[in-house]
Amino acid sequence: MNQKIVIAINREYGSGGRTIGEMLARELNIGYYDKDIYRMASELSGINEELFVKASMDFRGTPLFKASEPYTGAMIGPESSEFTSKKNLFAYQAKTIKELAAKEPCVIVGKAAGFVLKNEANLVRVFVHAPYWFLRQEAAKRNSLTDRELDKYIEKENKRRADYNYYYTGEKWDDAHNYDLCVDASKLGFEKCVKIIEGYMKVRFDGLQF
C-alpha cells in the first residue's frame, strides 16, 4: 500500500471483526496489531505486560455513568504512585498506538485506537456488527458452553467492550457517528467485508494503490 493508512476496527463479540482485520492486513500486506499492543506498551513503559492485560479486562460490570475523564495524552512518570494506574496504562498503550501509526500502515483491533488516532487524516474507523443469531453462531465455534452460558458470555463481553470504550473516550462504543464504516458481517460474510473496506479506502484516498 502506497499510503500510511491505519484501519482501526471495533467489533461485537462473535461478529468476526478480528478475523476480518487479519484478512484485511494479509490482503494489503500490512501489519496487524491486537494483543501485541500490550507487549509493546510494556516494553515502552517497563511495566509488566500482565497489568495491561488485567486493566483491559477489569471493565466487567463497570457502571457507564462512572466514566473517567477521557484520554488526553497526559502521562505519569515512574516516580508517581499513579504510574501503574488504569489511566496511565492506557496512556502508554495510546502512545504505542500513535508510534505505530506514525511508522507504518496497519490494522489495529480494539484498544480504542479510533479515538486515540481521531485527529489523523489517514485513519479509517470501522465497526463490525451482526444480529444476535450470528454472534451466537460464531461464538459457539470457539466456546464449549451451554446455550445459557454462551448467552451470558456474549452479553458480558460486549458490555465489557462498551464500558472500556466509554471509560477512556466518553463515547458510546456502538454509535455509528464514531465510525467511517459500519458493516454487518452476517449480510456480507468476512471476505466481502474486507472488499467493502478496501473499496471505501480507494474512493476516499485518491491515488491509493494496494
Side-chain angles (χ1 to χ4, degrees), residues 152-210:
K152 287 185 176 180
Y153 187 83
I154 293 169
E155 180 182 1
K156 190 175 184 179
E157 181 60 21
N158 281 334
K159 185 178 187 307
R160 181 191 68 80
R161 294 179 183 186
D163 289 354
Y164 175 94
N165 193 80
Y166 193 73
Y167 184 84
Y168 290 118
T169 72
E171 297 178 349
K172 290 187 176 180
W173 172 65
D174 56 356
D175 186 343
H177 292 89
N178 299 322
Y179 300 95
D180 302 301
L181 278 176
C182 294
V183 293
D184 183 337
S186 73
K187 290 184 171 65
L188 297 171
F190 298 162
E191 290 186 5
K192 287 184 179 178
C193 282
V194 170
K195 295 300 180 187
I196 288 290
I197 297 169
E198 290 179 336
Y200 171 84
M201 291 166 65
K202 285 183 177 178
V203 171
R204 175 173 162 187
F205 300 105
D206 292 336
L208 179 64
Q209 295 179 9
F210 297 152

Side-chain angles (χ1 to χ4, degrees), residues 13 60 132 136 139 143 145-160:
Y13 183 79
R60 293 187 177 95
Y132 186 74
R136 202 168 188 275
N143 298 278
L145 301 171
T146 66
D147 289 348
R148 185 175 180 182
E149 289 171 337
L150 193 61
D151 289 340
K152 287 185 176 180
Y153 187 83
I154 293 169
E155 180 182 1
K156 190 175 184 179
E157 181 60 21
N158 281 334
K159 185 178 187 307
R160 181 191 68 80

Side-chain angles (χ1 to χ4, degrees), residues 47-195:
I47 299 171
N48 191 297
E49 181 179 348
E50 288 303 313
L51 291 179
F52 287 94
V53 176
K54 185 177 184 298
S56 74
M57 301 301 290
D58 276 350
F59 285 85
R60 293 187 177 95
T62 302
L64 290 181
F65 61 83
K66 288 188 178 179
S68 72
E69 180 183 345
Y71 164 75
T72 61
M75 302 181 74
I76 302 169
E79 70 283 352
S80 171
S81 61
E82 294 296 307
F83 183 56
T84 58
S85 64
K86 278 185 182 180
K87 192 170 184 179
N88 205 42
L89 290 170
F90 185 83
Y92 272 103
Q93 189 173 290
K95 185 176 181 182
T96 299
I97 289 169
K98 288 180 177 180
E99 289 182 354
L100 278 173
K103 182 177 70 172
E104 62 179 277
C106 58
V107 174
I108 301 176
V109 173
K111 319 299 178 292
F115 180 83
V116 170
L117 300 173
K118 64 181 180 180
N119 294 323
E120 299 295 324
N122 284 359
L123 172 68
V124 176
R125 298 165 300 173
V126 179
F127 188 76
V128 183
H129 62 98
Y132 186 74
W133 66 263
F134 184 87
L135 303 182
R136 202 168 188 275
Q137 170 186 286
E138 293 301 306
K141 295 177 182 178
R142 299 191 295 277
N143 298 278
S144 299
L145 301 171
T146 66
D147 289 348
R148 185 175 180 182
E149 289 171 337
L150 193 61
D151 289 340
K152 287 185 176 180
Y153 187 83
I154 293 169
E155 180 182 1
K156 190 175 184 179
E157 181 60 21
N158 281 334
K159 185 178 187 307
R160 181 191 68 80
R161 294 179 183 186
D163 289 354
Y164 175 94
N165 193 80
Y166 193 73
Y167 184 84
Y168 290 118
T169 72
E171 297 178 349
K172 290 187 176 180
W173 172 65
D174 56 356
D175 186 343
H177 292 89
N178 299 322
Y179 300 95
D180 302 301
L181 278 176
C182 294
V183 293
D184 183 337
S186 73
K187 290 184 171 65
L188 297 171
F190 298 162
E191 290 186 5
K192 287 184 179 178
C193 282
V194 170
K195 295 300 180 187

